Amino acid sequence: MPVAAVIVAAGRGVRAGGDRPKQLQTLAGKPVIQWSVDAFETHAEVSQTILVVPADDEATYRAILGDTCDIVAGGETRTDSVKAGLAACRIAEDDLVMIHDAARPGLSHGLISDLIEAAQNADGVAPALPVADALKRETGDQLTSVNRDGLYRVQTPQVFRLGLIRTALSQSDAMVDDLAAIEATKGKVLLIKGSEHLAKITYPDDLKRIETLLMSSTGTPRFGTGFDVHAFEPGDAVTLCGVSIPHDQKLSGHSDADVAWHALTDAILGAAALGDIGDHFPPSDPQWKGAASEVFLRHAVKIAAEAGWAVTSCDLTIICEAPKVKPHRDAMRDATAKITGLSLDAVSVKATTTEGLGFTGRREGIAAQASAVLTPLPTTS
Ligand code: MG
């Protein structure tokens, strides 16, 4: 049964500080929003991910996220934005939709699976954690203790049947959360164990705190390297990191011969110990003839995620006498960031010559080396 995911990022996120809305700030090498998009997109049961963004900001988000998910414009209130997301769902009324807050980047595959399972027996399901701190209510200058027994902090994603949540939201506006709309219709609501990793980014300190929490509790990062060479043949341009650079020759190869992205694909596969590019895309297989190397890179990022790893930085070195790489460096970084889901500030592209020595010095071809750091994805605990 297909499951859709709606991520609401329509707020401007000004309370969190910084020069960008909180959902676009960098958390461990990726924009905050990308963590949630990736968690859904790489989950086997999620068939569609829809990101709801501030109206008029669709192009900004599209430029950052590439084609990784659907992007729609939000409305005035959070509920309006959720409705816009639901309207874009390509699932049946009886299928499940997960509604998630972009400001909660620590989403795990395990939790998505747990929510989907629990939703088989309820009208609405949410992750939640019991309140551990003492609670006080302030009334004028009086403080009274609030009994915390049975009180929960409710998180997202929250899961519903598409038809049911649409109807519930149409009957009520300005809800604190989507679960409240189901409660108002007397539907059956279920809470399952949430995660501290799902804490919400609201204030400036939250971003650092959640980054520390995610990075320190998920395990040790892995490092991978890749190397590739392609020879020149007659032509008029070379493709490096998806960018076509005019030149008096082209690179020969079975695919588009993007030596830089081949090296990076191998670095990612290497860090996750998932073999090499030739294992996944054999040159003998005619379906990869002339293929855009973005397919290889995208696949490496996806299977690394399925194995529990997020790419959190990469560094590329292009080795050639010509063409000049520097004028195209930012375009190459930008294209690489889009495919890998990294923030621009976590993608490095450098170039060097070999001082006329060796095959690159003799202008017989281009070599590229790459490194990638992979960090364990959030888990449910
Ligand atoms: Mg190659």
Side-chain angles (χ1 to χ4, degrees), residues 307-324:
W309 299 99
V311 183
T312 49
S313 71
C314 69
D315 181 25
L316 280 153
T317 305
I318 318 293
I319 306 159
C320 61
E321 302 290 327
K324 281 222 174 310

Side-chain angles (χ1 to χ4, degrees), residues 343-356:
S343 291
L344 197 56
D345 57 20
V347 177
S348 159
V349 172
K350 314 189 299 300
T352 188
T353 70
T354 50
E355 301 283 342

Side-chain angles (χ1 to χ4, degrees), residues 24-380:
L24 294 181
Q25 292 183 31
T26 300
L27 178 101
K30 299 204 285 187
V32 166
I33 178 63
Q34 189 81 51
W35 286 92
S36 299
V37 170
D38 289 351
F40 285 125
E41 280 290 297
T42 58
H43 191 282
E45 291 176 79
V46 177
S47 59
Q48 185 192 8
T49 307
I50 300 152
L51 179 63
V52 189
V53 305
D56 305 327
D57 276 0
E58 293 104 305
T60 307
Y61 280 78
R62 178 60 70 205
I64 291 164
L65 289 159
D67 294 326
T68 49
C69 61
D70 293 346
I71 295 177
V72 301
E76 281 291 301
T77 66
R78 185 185 181 282
T79 302
D80 290 338
S81 295
V82 170
K83 286 176 180 169
L86 295 177
C89 286
R90 294 186 302 270
I91 54 171
E93 294 287 290
D94 265 350
D95 289 338
L96 296 176
V97 58
M98 314 191 89
I99 303 174
H100 185 52
D101 192 334
R104 297 183 189 273
L107 180 58
S108 69
H109 280 171
L111 187 75
I112 294 173
S113 300
D114 291 350
L115 286 162
I116 291 172
E117 198 189 325
Q120 309 306 322
N121 304 306
D123 299 317
V125 187
L129 290 171
V131 173
D133 298 323
L135 296 176
K136 302 283 177 194
R137 172 168 288 123
E138 191 178 47
T139 322
D141 52 6
Q142 280 295 103
L143 279 181
T144 49
S145 293
V146 177
N147 184 352
R148 67 179 182 224
D149 288 353
L151 287 186
Y152 286 90
R153 293 181 284 144
V154 179
Q155 304 175 319
T156 70
Q158 302 181 351
V159 193
F160 314 92
R161 304 269 159 208
L162 176 64
L164 208 60
I165 187 66
R166 260 196 195 135
T167 309
L169 286 175
S170 70
Q171 290 165 3
S172 53
D173 5 67
M175 285 289 166
V176 284
D177 66 353
D178 309 301
L179 212 56
I182 296 293
E183 290 159 16
T185 64
K186 303 273 184 275
K188 183 183 171 190
V189 164
L190 206 62
L191 297 180
I192 67 166
K193 187 173 176 289
S195 167
E196 291 295 350
H197 291 171
L198 269 177
K200 189 174 183 176
I201 298 167
T202 306
Y203 301 106
D205 287 350
D206 295 342
L207 198 73
K208 268 284 153 236
R209 189 171 50 78
I210 292 168
E211 184 170 81
T212 306
L213 186 69
L214 286 180
M215 294 304 108
S216 64
S217 57
T218 49
T220 313
R222 295 268 193 88
F223 178 74
T225 65
F227 179 77
D228 196 27
V229 172
H230 281 261
F232 283 128
E233 63 181 23
D236 55 10
V238 299
T239 302
L240 294 174
C241 294
V243 177
S244 178
I245 300 173
H247 190 49
D248 54 8
Q249 299 181 88
K250 74 186 199 51
L251 290 172
S252 91
H254 195 64
S255 64
D256 65 2
D258 190 332
V259 63
W261 274 358
H262 292 182
L264 181 56
T265 300
D266 259 356
I268 292 166
L269 293 172
L274 288 167
D276 64 28
I277 192 168
D279 295 335
H280 298 276
F281 305 97
S284 54
D285 189 335
Q287 69 169 308
W288 309 122
K289 187 169 167 49
S293 296
E294 107 172 40
V295 175
F296 309 152
L297 185 55
R298 230 184 254 289
H299 183 74
V301 173
K302 181 169 180 279
I303 63 171
E306 285 163 359
W309 299 99
V311 183
T312 49
S313 71
C314 69
D315 181 25
L316 280 153
T317 305
I318 318 293
I319 306 159
C320 61
E321 302 290 327
K324 281 222 174 310
V325 170
K326 202 172 174 182
H328 308 281
R329 200 162 63 181
D330 285 341
M332 291 162 67
R333 289 175 65 216
D334 197 46
T336 305
K338 258 189 205 131
I339 304 299
T340 54
L342 286 164
S343 291
L344 197 56
D345 57 20
V347 177
S348 159
V349 172
K350 314 189 299 300
T352 188
T353 70
T354 50
E355 301 283 342
L357 300 172
F359 68 87
T360 59
R362 291 189 298 272
R363 299 169 184 251
E364 292 168 7
I366 298 182
Q369 56 186 35
S371 63
V373 174
L374 270 57
T375 305
L377 285 164
T379 54
T380 26

